[in-house]
Amino acid sequence: MSIRLIDGMRALVPEYDGFILDLWGVVHDGTAPFPGVLDCMERLIGAEKRLVLLSNAPRRSDDVVRRITRIGVPEGLYHGVMSSGEEAWQYLRRRDEPFYAALGRRCLHIGSERDLEIREGLDLLFVDAPAEADFILNTGPAEWDDTIADYAPVLETARANGLPMVCANPDLVVIHDGKPALCAGALAEQYEAMGGRVRWHGKPYPSVYDSCLGLLGIADRRRILAIGDSLRTDIAGAEGAGIDSLLIAGGVHATEFGGDGALDLDRIAGAIEKSGTHPIGVAARFVW
């Protein structure tokens, strides 16, 4: 198969009215915006395009806004934010589905100190051991260099006790300051492999895209483009929601695809074909 190479978003402006942007790997690397990104967002806003940020961050949308503002992404360059953590929080708060209605109130939170805000307003009792819990809220490893093996004892006990898990970030890995780090999705995937029950939130699951469409205010999905760096979450999720997608090669697949240098289009095309997805094209970075 052949893949369309996009050298800048200016080529796509006539084709779309709204853009759903992944954050980590497209807009920033966890510490700062990628070069050219803020200029690109400003130019899209100037062209009267709608921009919504969609992140698999395991935290509330307001928390996401504060964090990206601190690392240099100003609020004036987008129209809304949705996150996997926000969606998980909303479901935990409402408890209007059978899975959530059956959960108890004693929660074992697997996560870092960065994620504590997701606990607020949920009327839960947070416990320290799986033997004391009714369910697990998984927002990801506590430290950037943690491994799945570090969590094996907790997951094994939780599985033996039949605890369900709420996964507030489906990503498996993220590039943090140039290095790969595990995300909540890797722990949830391991827990499912052990026979545990997991309820997933965020990309690639369709409900989070419905929330984005409300923020965009664009009814025609054919006029919306989702831009992301993960075939598994961003590209597959957009396709499942009936939205066009653009793959950014310089994010989570950078080492594989040559995202920081000359792109290996044959390798990219092979990975896309293997994934069963159909993005409209690939770009090295999200730039104008």
Side-chain angles (χ1 to χ4, degrees):
M1 63 174 292
S2 60
I3 184 72
R4 178 185 177 189
L5 179 61
I6 306 295
D7 64 0
M9 296 305 109
R10 63 189 180 279
L12 301 175
V13 165
E15 301 178 36
Y16 299 99
D17 300 321
F19 296 80
I20 298 174
L21 306 180
D22 177 41
L23 273 173
W24 210 316
V26 173
V27 173
H28 67 76
D29 67 355
T31 60
F34 290 115
V37 162
L38 300 185
D39 172 69
C40 184
M41 294 172 72
E42 186 173 3
R43 288 175 182 269
L44 288 171
I45 293 288
E48 300 185 343
K49 305 301 178 180
R50 297 281 296 179
L51 305 184
V52 167
L53 309 181
L54 174 57
S55 174
N56 273 355
R59 50 191 64 99
R60 303 289 307 278
S61 292
D62 286 348
D63 193 6
V64 172
V65 169
R66 288 193 297 273
R67 289 168 187 270
I68 64 174
T69 300
R70 284 199 297 269
I71 66 173
V73 182
E75 290 189 52
L77 295 186
Y78 52 88
H79 298 96
V81 175
M82 178 52 58
S83 67
S84 55
E86 177 70 30
E87 185 181 57
W89 188 92
Q90 294 289 349
Y91 275 79
L92 281 165
R93 178 71 171 174
R94 293 195 308 264
R95 291 185 175 243
D96 56 358
E97 281 194 358
F99 176 91
Y100 284 97
L103 293 181
R105 294 289 174 179
R106 296 176 301 169
C107 175
L108 175 64
H109 182 194
I110 297 177
S112 75
E113 292 187 357
R114 300 182 302 275
D115 305 333
L116 293 181
E117 191 171 319
I118 198 173
R119 298 183 178 191
E120 297 176 8
L122 290 178
D123 190 26
L124 297 175
L125 173 64
F126 290 93
V127 299
D128 296 324
E132 304 169 345
D134 297 319
F135 73 98
I136 298 170
L137 172 59
N138 171 18
T139 59
E143 304 295 338
W144 293 114
D145 57 355
D146 282 354
T147 67
I148 290 178
D150 293 328
Y151 294 86
V154 169
L155 296 179
E156 288 168 0
T157 303
R159 173 63 189 95
N161 290 348
L163 300 186
M165 174 187 286
V166 175
C167 180
N169 175 4
D171 286 350
L172 302 179
V173 296
V174 69
I175 305 302
H176 177 256
D177 206 12
K179 298 182 293 185
L182 287 181
C183 292
L187 299 178
E189 190 175 69
Q190 175 66 19
Y191 195 56
E192 278 193 332
M194 296 164 61
R197 285 192 301 143
V198 177
R199 178 60 187 271
W200 299 79
H201 288 282
K203 301 172 288 186
Y205 301 94
S207 60
V208 79
Y209 288 89
D210 293 335
S211 298
C212 283
L213 295 180
L215 294 173
L216 280 171
I218 299 172
D220 187 353
R221 296 189 182 215
R222 295 171 298 179
R223 299 294 299 176
I224 299 170
L225 180 69
I227 302 175
D229 67 321
S230 169
L231 286 166
R232 173 182 170 270
T233 56
D234 300 307
I235 306 306
E239 188 151 320
I243 297 170
D244 283 353
S245 65
L246 175 70
L247 176 65
I248 299 298
V252 70
H253 294 292
T255 302
E256 178 185 359
F257 293 162
D260 291 321
L263 297 185
D264 188 332
L265 294 180
D266 289 338
R267 181 170 291 183
I268 294 170
I272 291 172
E273 186 170 16
K274 184 177 180 180
S275 74
T277 60
H278 305 85
I280 65 159
V282 61
R285 293 287 188 187
F286 176 61
V287 295
W288 183 249

